[in-house]
């Protein structure tokens, strides 16, 4: 692996740091009651979104998952509008209809996020079919977790993408747990084996190192863009926090502190920080703190949705199935 | 009153032809594909075979494999792919081979197809048509004879229609494809081969409108899909006994268009709703609830429902018992009149 240019190294650090601090500020807002749904924090997994999105062009498309804030930020979404979305405010990227769990941001190329696990794989195939037909060179990345590999829907998507040799990169963020179920008690065989069964080039990589992820993603993206069909990348990673912030209250005991501590030894932010000089790091950190102060203020100060708008956009053609009131 | 129920044989122009429901949908698909290159037909066996019911017969030959996609046996994958295609501006028409096979795709329909337009504030449209041959009468058992339409009508964000005759089949499939919203298109497979005269130069009836298909004064029958013909036959039989029944074809199940039903019940005072689906929490239940709310002082008898039983679809030799037929409909009318 050739060393990336220093500007790229700095940029990878910046993205990881932004995601990390964004998530930490978001958890504060969950505790303060500003994000009613709670969130699925991706702290510990930032290198995956960062490395994969660094391999993409702005016009490329990603499909995210319920643990998707990192994907949005790494793909270039406006952090203020992402946080407003999570906080249920009308200034959110989907006017609060996607919330934390499944927002879209078409302008940044985030076309959907599925809360129903594994169902983005076939949607990615459809988007990619259109790309291949148009010859526009766009690559589609579908992010999902290790829980999704037990879903049949995911394999239907793999099959279609391989059958039709579509420009998709499937990225599995294996953080070790599907909610609380350890991956070794849920997944028979291997994750990459699922891709290989369909003839999809599949690799398992260190998901804590953004440069390793970037190199694997770049190879897969190049294959997709040149008409070589789909790839699967398993990124071995870990979430320091719970599946969801409800675990802040419900102290679940499905993993022990030594395991978490061992993973923190290989923290993606530390790994990348070591590649950036101290002065640059301090500047980036300070910029991010300043940015996030504005982001939090923007989100919290934004108005909440009005109930009278709740049925807007239910149908493109304007017809409604219901009379528009609850007691109709 | 000698009342053929649906007067389609209006034109003597050379354009007029005799078609079946299956052929009507086929020709409608063909017209839609000719009109818009973004229309793509996809599903299991729809291409080379032309569909197990031959509804897509000849389309792949004429439009090519990039417009008529033979997909693997994977309903979730088919609908999921259609979502991706719709995001990129296509108008996919997915065929689900049999009613009971739609459930692997149910999650994609309910969680994505129904919600993406709403979730994205209209930035993503879902002009997807999902064709579902439904209902019984073909001598098959469960998975092949079911009526799952209420499950979809219950879901905000979807539109649900059902054609009952060849002329509607021809027009409604085209209108559904033109619609920017997702449409579940329920086809009465037991009546695929019923014939009528089609004049394609006529102006089509609007898609999301119910329609009085026979006028009468003693009681109102409401049905959709395969049971419209049953109700028309029942009305014809009742006429021989001097009983004059009105029949309304709902055509659209979501949104329901009940104004013509309310008007009718205000005149007749009696309503029997007929469908093959089980009565619990069904389209028939919704019609009954709305009619009692809107026409309370006009009703001379409770609204009655004649439906399939609240059971899984029965063995094929019992489907004559299970499916509402002319006798069960007229018995309900008698009960209403005797109230």
């Amino acid at each position: 692996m050739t060393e990336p240019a220093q500007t790229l190294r700095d940029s990878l650090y910046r993205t990881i740091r932004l995601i990390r601090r964004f998530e930490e500020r978001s958890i504060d807002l969950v505790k303060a009651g500003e994000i009613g749904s709670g969130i699925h924090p991706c702290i510990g997994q930032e290198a995956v979104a960062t490395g994969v999105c660094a391999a993409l062009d702005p016009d490329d498309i990603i499909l995210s998952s319920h643990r998707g804030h990192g994907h949005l930020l790494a793909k270039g979404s406006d952090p203020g509008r992402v946080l407003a979305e999570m906080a249920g405010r009308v200034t959110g990227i989907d006017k609060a209809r996607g919330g934390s769990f499944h927002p879209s941001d078409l302008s940044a190329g985030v076309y959907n996020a599925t809360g129903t696990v594994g169902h983005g794989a076939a949607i990615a195939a459809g988007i990619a079919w259109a790309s291949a037909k148009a010859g526009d060179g766009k690559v589609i990345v579908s992010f999902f977790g290790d829980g999704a590999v037990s879903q049949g829907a995911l394999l239907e998507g793999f099959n279609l993408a391989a059958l039709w040799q579509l420009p998709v990169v499937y990225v599995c963020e294996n953080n070790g747990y599907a909610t609380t179920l350890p991956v070794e008690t849920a997944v028979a065989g291997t994750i990459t084996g699922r891709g290989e069964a369909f003839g999809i080039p599949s690799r398992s990589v260190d998901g804590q190192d953004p440069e390793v992820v970037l190199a694997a993603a770049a190879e897969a993206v190049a294959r997709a863009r040149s008409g070589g069909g789909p790839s699967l990348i398993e990124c071995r990673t870990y979430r320091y926090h719970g599946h969801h912030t409800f675990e802040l209250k419900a102290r679940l005991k499905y993993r022990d502190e030594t395991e978490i501590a061992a993973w923190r030894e290989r923290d993606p932010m530390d790994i990348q920080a070591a590649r950036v000089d101290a002065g640059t790091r301090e500047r980036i950190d300070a910029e991010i703190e300043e940015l996030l102060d504005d982001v939090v203020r923007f989100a919290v100060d934004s108005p909440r949705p009005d109930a009278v708008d709740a049925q807007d956009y239910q149908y493109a053609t304007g017809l409604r199935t219901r009379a528009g009131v609850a007691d109709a | 009153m000698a009342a053929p129920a649906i007067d389609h044989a209006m034109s003597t122009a050379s354009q007029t032809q005799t078609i079946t429901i299956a052929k009507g949908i086929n020709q409608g698909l063909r017209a839609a594909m000719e009109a818009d290159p973004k229309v793509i037909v996809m599903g299991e066996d729809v291409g080379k075979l032309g569909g197990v019911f031959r509804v897509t017969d000849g389309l792949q030959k004429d439009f090519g494999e990039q417009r008529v996609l033979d997909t693997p046996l994977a309903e979730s994958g088919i609908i999921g792919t259609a979502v991706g295609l719709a995001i990129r501006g296509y108008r996919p028409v997915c065929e689900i081979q049999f009613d009971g096979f739609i459930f692997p795709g149910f999650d994609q329909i309910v969680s994505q197809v129904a919600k993406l337009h709403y979730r994205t504030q209209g930035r993503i449209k879902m002009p997807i048509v999902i064709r579902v041959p439904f209902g019984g009468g073909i001598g098959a058992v469960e998975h092949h004879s079911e009526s799952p339409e209420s499950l979809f009508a219950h879901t905000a964000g979807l539109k649900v229609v059902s054609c009952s005759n060849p002329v509607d089949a021809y027009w409604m499939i085209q209108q559904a494809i033109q619609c920017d919203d997702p449409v579940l298109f329920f086809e009465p497979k037991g009546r695929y081969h019923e014939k009528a005269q089609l004049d394609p130069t006529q102006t089509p009836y609007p898609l999301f409108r119910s329609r009085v298909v026979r006028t009468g004064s003693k009681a109102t029958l409401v049905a959709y899909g395969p049971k419209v013909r049953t109700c028309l036959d029942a009305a014809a039989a009742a006429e021989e006994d001097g009983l004059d029944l009105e029949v309304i074809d709902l055509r659209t199940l979501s949104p329901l268009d009940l104004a013509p039903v309310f008007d009718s019940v205000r005149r007749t005072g009696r309503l029997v709703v007929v469908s093959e689906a089980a009565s619990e929490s069904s389209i028939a239940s919704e019609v009954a609830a709305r009619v009692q709310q809107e026409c309370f002082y006009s009703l001379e008898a409770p609204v009655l429902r004649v439906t399939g039983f609240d059971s899984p679809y029965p063995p094929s030799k019992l489907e004559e018992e299970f499916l509402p037929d002319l006798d069960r409909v007229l018995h309900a009318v008698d009960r209403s009149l005797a109230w």
Side-chain angles (χ1 to χ4, degrees), chain A residues 93-95 97 102 111-112 114 116 119 122-123 126 129 131 133 136 156 160 310 312-313 315-317 321-322, chain B residues 66 72 74 76-77 80-81 84-85 87-88 107-108 112 117-119 121 123-124 154 157-159 181 254:
Chain A
I93 44 179
D94 273 338
K95 280 197 178 177
R97 290 179 174 196
H102 37 65
Y111 271 43
N112 190 16
T114 55
T116 52
H119 292 79
I123 298 173
W129 192 94
S131 284
K133 184 96 168 13
D136 60 17
E156 293 187 20
L160 291 166
D312 282 359
Y313 295 105
Y315 294 100
T317 45
T321 54
R322 280 85 182 160
Chain B
Q66 296 286 298
S76 175
T81 303
L85 290 170
I87 285 174
R88 294 295 302 270
D107 178 83
Q108 292 282 17
Q112 310 298 341
H117 184 271
Y118 181 83
R119 194 190 300 158
Q121 304 282 298
R123 289 191 294 271
I124 289 178
H154 190 70
L158 301 176
K159 294 187 170 176
D181 286 314
S254 177

Side-chain angles (χ1 to χ4, degrees), chain A residues 61 63 81 85 93-95 97-98 102-106 111-116 118-120 122-131 133-134 136 138 140 153 156-157 159-160 163-164 309-323 327-328, chain B residues 37 40 42 65-67 69-85 87-88 90 104 107-108 111-112 114 116-125 153-159 179-182 208-209 253-256 286 290 293:
Chain A
I61 293 164
L63 298 177
R81 295 196 63 204
E85 181 69 23
I93 44 179
D94 273 338
K95 280 197 178 177
R97 290 179 174 196
H102 37 65
S104 311
D105 184 357
L106 270 58
Y111 271 43
N112 190 16
T114 55
T116 52
H119 292 79
I123 298 173
I127 297 173
W129 192 94
S131 284
K133 184 96 168 13
D136 60 17
K138 287 183 186 178
I140 292 79
E156 293 187 20
N159 187 45
L160 291 166
L163 197 65
W164 295 334
D309 299 327
Q311 283 193 314
D312 282 359
Y313 295 105
Q314 187 167 316
Y315 294 100
T317 45
L319 287 171
R320 292 176 176 179
T321 54
R322 280 85 182 160
D327 57 355
Chain B
I40 286 183
M42 58 194 294
E65 294 180 0
Q66 296 286 298
R67 298 284 305 279
L69 303 180
D70 272 321
T71 68
L73 203 163
E75 287 81 6
S76 175
I78 293 166
I79 306 293
T81 303
V83 170
L85 290 170
I87 285 174
R88 294 295 302 270
Y90 284 93
D107 178 83
Q108 292 282 17
S111 304
Q112 310 298 341
L116 266 166
H117 184 271
Y118 181 83
R119 194 190 300 158
T120 63
Q121 304 282 298
R123 289 191 294 271
I124 289 178
K125 290 188 170 52
H154 190 70
T155 302
L158 301 176
K159 294 187 170 176
C179 180
D180 277 342
D181 286 314
F208 298 114
R209 289 285 177 271
L253 311 182
S254 177
L256 278 167
E286 181 66 21
R290 298 251 205 119
Q293 185 176 325

Side-chain angles (χ1 to χ4, degrees), chain A residues 50 74 86 133 159 163 203 227 232 244 257 260 279 304 312:
Chain A
T50 300
M86 295 156 58
K133 184 96 168 13
N159 187 45
L163 197 65
R203 287 183 61 189
L232 167 64
H244 178 269
E257 292 300 322
I260 299 171
R304 292 158 195 268
D312 282 359

